[in-house]
Amino acid sequence: MNSIETVAKNIRLEVMQYAFFHLFPVTVAGTAMIMDIRTAKVDNGWIIFSMSVGLFVCIWQKNITGIGFFIMGSVMPLFLMILFAFGMIGAGDIKLFCALGGIMGCESIIKCIFISFLTGAGISAALLIFNHNFCERILYFIEYVKCTVSTGKISSYRRKNIAAPENFHFTIPVFISVLLYAGGRRCWWAMCWPPAFGRHASRKSPPRIPC
């Protein structure tokens, strides 16, 4: 009887861990995406709430090591400040990555950022081709580089007009990336580690991703 209770307790614990470390990031990213689409910004209150819940549950599930897990994941996305200085990414997007990093962990948030940019590039290219201004955008990029080099001043790369086709909401590819993360290890590793699904994929499972 004790063994059955132990198994049931472990199952409940695993379900709770999966619900938080996989499904809660979907809620965080999805809510941020809706805010961004409706108001063109992500509310700071939602970011603070998400990070507070993330820190509490990390400590509850991982004890004292949860603090390090949370801090490492939250700090990692700050390297994107380089892109923010050039106006290539918004502050709200970076704060969203920080909130997600505290929940997902350092390793997973790096993959999330990579897939987000990969997905964003695909969406942007599709929009530019659909609107027949791909060449115009390439010329705009060349002129931006020339202006930055000649003046030595960093100006915003992003156009002011949010209606410009390339200025779509970056929270959309972030949400897609988090969905892949929550969808399971096979979806995640299919995007991040294609060799794991090569000729020998059926013989060997992909490496385990820590929660």
Side-chain angles (χ1 to χ4, degrees):
M1 189 68 179
N2 291 333
S3 60
I4 296 177
E5 292 178 354
T6 302
V7 171
K9 182 179 179 180
N10 290 336
I11 292 175
R12 286 196 297 268
L13 181 60
E14 289 183 4
V15 170
M16 292 175 60
Q17 288 179 340
Y18 181 86
F20 177 75
F21 290 104
H22 289 78
L23 300 183
F24 185 63
V26 175
T27 304
V28 174
T31 304
M33 179 184 67
I34 294 173
M35 289 178 177
D36 192 25
I37 292 173
R38 294 183 61 182
T39 64
K41 65 178 182 179
V42 180
D43 185 65
N44 287 332
W46 176 246
I47 298 297
I48 294 173
F49 170 78
S50 301
M51 296 188 74
S52 300
V53 173
L55 177 59
F56 173 78
V57 178
C58 282
I59 296 175
W60 177 42
Q61 293 288 329
K62 302 176 182 293
N63 299 320
I64 192 66
T65 58
I67 298 177
F69 177 91
F70 176 84
I71 292 176
M72 288 294 294
S74 297
V75 171
M76 179 56 64
L78 293 180
F79 75 90
L80 295 173
M81 291 298 294
I82 299 174
L83 297 180
F84 174 75
F86 286 91
M88 295 181 176
I89 190 173
D93 300 321
I94 298 177
K95 288 183 286 187
L96 176 59
F97 277 130
C98 290
L100 291 171
I103 304 167
M104 299 165 62
C106 185
E107 181 182 352
S108 292
I109 195 59
I110 292 175
K111 295 183 178 71
C112 179
I113 293 171
F114 173 76
I115 295 177
S116 297
F117 276 95
L118 190 65
T119 306
I123 295 174
S124 181
L127 289 173
L128 292 174
I129 293 173
F130 179 78
N131 289 278
H132 306 288
N133 59 348
F134 186 81
C135 294
E136 175 188 346
R137 190 61 186 178
I138 295 298
L139 293 175
Y140 174 81
F141 175 74
I142 295 174
E143 287 298 321
Y144 174 82
V145 173
K146 287 182 179 179
C147 180
T148 302
V149 173
S150 61
T151 61
K153 296 181 180 179
I154 298 176
S155 58
S156 178
Y157 177 77
R158 183 170 180 170
R159 292 175 176 175
K160 299 294 184 180
N161 183 16
I162 190 65
E166 69 276 8
N167 288 351
F168 66 93
H169 301 277
F170 190 66
T171 49
I172 296 175
V174 174
F175 178 67
I176 294 174
S177 175
V178 176
L179 277 179
L180 289 172
Y181 167 77
R185 294 184 178 88
R186 294 192 66 85
C187 292
W188 192 246
W189 280 95
M191 291 289 292
C192 299
W193 194 255
F197 293 83
R199 191 186 317 172
H200 304 290
S202 60
R203 301 180 183 177
K204 186 177 181 179
S205 301
R208 179 180 177 84
I209 299 176
C211 294

